[in-house]
Amino acid sequence: MAKPTKIKNKNGSTSYRIFIQNNGKRESKTFSTRQLAQDWADKRQREVERAEVYGQVSTLTIRQIITDYQDRFGAGFGKSKTNDLARLSRYDIAELDISRLTPKHLVDHCVARNKQAKPQTVGMDLSTLKTALSTMSAVANFDFDQGVFDRASKVLKQERMIASTAKRSRLPTWTELLTLTRFFRGQQRSKTPMSEIMWFAYFSARRLSEITRLEWSDNNDDKKTGMVRDAKHPREKKGNHRRFKYEKTAWKIAQRQAVKSTYIFPYNAPSISVLFNLACKSVGIKDLHFHDLRHAAATRLALKGYSILEIQQFTLHTDWRVLSHYVNLKPEDILDK
């Protein structure tokens, strides 16, 4: 163990110098007291040993790490994750060196975020940040204590600053769908067949981003199946092409579309979402999202008596726990047998 060496200074005062070995090189530092010198040597030795196991302590800022993460892996990110990372890069916490990150920094960030967003959104922010930092710590070989997130999360959950995504149970009523249909059909100037797209979503259980990517060439006329290319997946979206079963009404709607492109519905997904929201506002329908149509489709399939495994062939959910968030059955929906 390194021991401090007493040094007599020119002015008559006393200092203590101590040396440690770091990968064959000597490091030294001088302190005013023996205890400070010894404490520094002990601390520095632990840092050297930890670096040998986990990598060097990084001087990169969180913003630099997020940027590197996007450059390396961003091609496989969805729009939501890309936007979340871009937003995180703009906050004050992104200016912090990763080696200085503490639970307090995370708590302060989330407290500020709660003034702008719901706890569920803030929780997703925290999860996205943790994924980016932990991934890059392995790729770039720098030391990163993931425990800061665990300690911060415990406090944030306790104070209800973060929360799991709430299960949404809002389904469109038949009256609301008919009201929207009349509204869309009255929009003669619109080149987007919103009524057809809305009903296709209601029967097919396809996400909006999937609807606009469906290709004619992927349809199997005999088996009434289609394919979602690059289907949503937490890790393997690119190249994750998955075949699905068309519900019979959804098949009829698809078949009556004009063949004028590679795609069955060659329209812009964000524009469709905007048009749908504007329509709901115009006719006085509150708190209805386009994605609620997918919930309605999954619930309808369950009411028709399809099993879980069969519903998954329509919706393409790989996990029943996730699918259960889409099937919004009520006790009164169950028929006596």
Side-chain angles (χ1 to χ4, degrees):
M1 179 182 293
K3 292 184 178 181
T5 301
K6 187 175 181 179
I7 299 173
K8 198 72 173 179
N9 300 319
K10 291 181 180 181
N11 62 3
S13 63
T14 301
S15 297
Y16 296 86
R17 180 177 296 168
I18 194 164
F19 296 85
I20 67 163
Q21 292 291 329
N22 182 2
N23 295 324
K25 298 179 181 179
R26 296 184 80 193
E27 290 185 24
S28 68
K29 203 159 188 179
T30 303
F31 296 89
S32 59
T33 68
R34 183 186 298 275
Q35 188 61 53
L36 283 174
Q38 190 64 64
D39 289 346
W40 173 82
D42 293 343
K43 178 177 179 292
R44 186 72 186 99
Q45 194 63 55
R46 288 194 298 271
E47 291 174 350
V48 170
E49 292 174 353
R50 186 175 178 83
E52 290 178 355
V53 177
Y54 300 107
Q56 295 294 328
V57 174
S58 176
T59 58
L60 293 171
T61 65
I62 290 175
R63 180 179 291 110
Q64 289 172 315
I65 295 170
I66 290 175
T67 299
D68 193 12
Y69 179 60
Q70 290 175 302
D71 290 343
R72 289 174 183 261
F73 305 106
F77 296 164
K79 182 179 179 181
S80 178
K81 185 171 184 178
T82 299
N83 290 340
D84 289 345
L85 288 167
R87 185 175 61 251
L88 282 167
S89 293
R90 295 193 293 270
Y91 291 122
D92 291 343
I93 196 172
E95 299 176 6
L96 190 71
D97 285 358
I98 182 62
S99 60
R100 295 175 52 214
L101 182 65
T102 66
K104 183 180 185 304
H105 290 119
L106 295 173
V107 171
D108 288 346
H109 169 75
C110 291
V111 169
R113 280 286 286 136
N114 265 266
K115 297 176 182 178
Q116 306 167 331
K118 294 180 180 179
Q120 292 85 352
T121 302
V122 179
M124 285 298 297
D125 274 2
L126 203 63
S127 177
T128 300
L129 179 59
K130 181 180 180 181
T131 298
L133 298 182
S134 60
T135 297
M136 291 311 299
S137 70
V139 173
N141 192 34
F142 61 78
D143 189 13
F144 166 56
D145 179 14
Q146 296 190 39
V148 296
F149 279 91
D150 297 332
R151 296 193 291 277
S153 294
K154 184 177 181 180
V155 173
L156 291 166
K157 288 178 181 177
Q158 177 181 307
E159 300 303 322
R160 299 182 180 179
M161 291 289 173
I162 61 173
S164 301
T165 303
K167 180 179 178 181
R168 186 170 171 81
S169 59
R170 173 69 159 99
L171 298 179
T173 65
W174 195 254
T175 299
E176 288 174 333
L177 292 173
L178 292 178
T179 299
L180 286 169
T181 299
R182 287 192 294 269
F183 177 84
F184 289 135
R185 289 177 178 173
Q187 303 297 300
Q188 297 179 355
R189 295 183 179 181
S190 178
K191 296 181 180 180
T192 306
M194 286 296 298
S195 178
E196 292 284 272
I197 293 171
M198 180 189 73
W199 284 108
F200 181 81
Y202 176 79
F203 286 105
S204 70
R206 296 270 61 79
R207 296 180 177 87
L208 176 53
S209 60
E210 295 173 348
I211 291 174
T212 56
R213 299 202 315 271
L214 297 177
E215 299 185 17
W216 287 109
S217 60
D218 289 329
N219 279 355
N220 185 310
D221 294 345
D222 295 329
K223 297 181 180 180
K224 304 294 188 296
T225 62
M227 181 181 291
V228 173
R229 295 177 176 272
D230 298 325
K232 185 176 180 180
H233 190 277
R235 293 174 300 277
E236 302 171 356
K237 179 179 178 180
K238 197 67 176 178
N240 184 37
H241 307 325
R242 300 189 60 206
R243 187 157 289 281
F244 68 91
K245 179 69 176 179
Y246 274 100
E247 190 273 347
K248 61 181 182 180
T249 304
W251 176 261
K252 291 178 181 178
I253 295 173
Q255 291 303 298
R256 67 182 180 229
Q257 301 309 304
V259 181
K260 52 185 179 181
S261 167
T262 300
Y263 303 103
I264 301 173
F265 296 96
Y267 308 101
N268 182 266
S271 297
I272 293 171
S273 180
V274 170
L275 290 172
F276 185 83
N277 291 337
L278 288 174
C280 288
K281 185 176 181 179
S282 297
V283 299
I285 296 175
K286 298 180 179 180
D287 190 35
L288 184 64
H289 305 162
F290 190 93
H291 196 68
D292 294 334
L293 299 171
R294 178 166 160 84
H295 288 248
T299 302
R300 183 175 175 276
L301 290 167
L303 288 172
K304 290 188 70 174
Y306 287 106
S307 68
I308 293 172
L309 291 176
E310 289 173 331
I311 294 174
Q312 288 175 310
Q313 305 312 306
F314 292 97
T315 67
L316 295 185
H317 284 102
T318 58
D319 190 331
W320 160 243
R321 290 173 298 179
V322 178
L323 176 58
S324 67
H325 288 283
Y326 285 80
V327 178
N328 302 120
L329 290 177
K330 300 176 183 178
E332 57 267 31
D333 293 330
I334 308 301
L335 300 177
D336 293 330
K337 296 183 178 180

